Amino acid sequence: MLETGGPSRDLISFLLPQTGALVEVANPAQPYVLLDACGVVVEPVSAFFAELQACSRPPSTIRSYGMDLLRWWRFLDAVGVEWHRATRLEARDFARWMAIAPKPVRPHWRSRAAGATARAGVGSSAGVPNTVTGRAGPGPMFAATTRAHCETVLRSFYDFHLEAGTGPIINPFPTRRERRRLPASAGRPVRSAPGGRYRPSVPVRVPGRIPDARFDELFAALRHHRDRALLAFWVSNGVRAEELLTCRQRDVLPGEQLLGVVRKGTRAYQQVPSAADAFV
């Protein structure tokens, strides 16, 4: 049941304070820790990070989750609510703020020591599309994918503590209300699990592309054969650029048209098929 009381917050002029931090630690068992406004490690987040690591999540995923939790901790610090006392009013206001507020701009390092808060960005709500690829650049507002990812992280965080009995008895980020749906035999698929109630709709992305003429210009502008080979492999097999940089001379198998790389998420070695022109 959603609480109807509580203070009415001014989300238009709300500024997210730059309190706390997500710190990388030289510890394989604890790659990242979240610090609160007083510089103390947030133990509930550390327990959640340990759960993610046990579920074979890489450090990059833990960092991504930590940035969303840091944003939520700063919001709770600004409204004066502890994490285990947050209700759906705070969750709803947080989702509304991310939908209407510009992204905070980090203050300069000279003013950061004085405790300056983040100022709102300026500009239109959408980035200017790239003239070559057509992809829109990052705008001053929070993207729908960012808001959806943040909602998923916070809902998972409170689900974890709800099961462990260390958090609130009700998840502040509830799942979407179930709707009556036709059975699959009627021609409409039935969704297996509902999403978050405060999760925004994410538009389907158009695959990125580059015109053939521009690709030829880029290929000709490269000065070294190694750079041309990396570009050719990247286009033919579709692996990430940082994964291509993990391959060594012994990982190239021209006879079988395979290239060995280390995957980003699992850190597992995998041989991916590539075009014959890339090996030339």
Side-chain angles (χ1 to χ4, degrees), residues 18-74:
Q18 297 296 292
T19 56
L22 183 68
V23 181
E24 184 176 4
V25 182
N27 184 2
Q30 193 179 31
Y32 290 93
V33 293
L34 182 66
L35 305 180
D36 60 10
C38 300
V40 181
V41 177
V42 181
E43 294 299 336
V45 175
S46 297
F48 182 59
F49 286 170
E51 178 73 9
L52 294 177
Q53 191 178 41
C55 296
S56 301
R57 299 297 187 271
S60 58
T61 299
I62 297 178
R63 181 186 182 278
S64 177
Y65 279 38
M67 296 304 296
D68 292 329
L69 288 168
L70 175 61
R71 188 183 298 113
W72 171 244
W73 238 258
R74 288 173 172 175

Side-chain angles (χ1 to χ4, degrees), residues 14-18 70-71 74-75 78 94 97 104 117-119:
F14 177 81
L15 294 178
L16 193 69
Q18 297 296 292
L70 175 61
R71 188 183 298 113
R74 288 173 172 175
F75 180 85
F94 180 72
W97 171 75
T117 57
R119 58 186 179 87

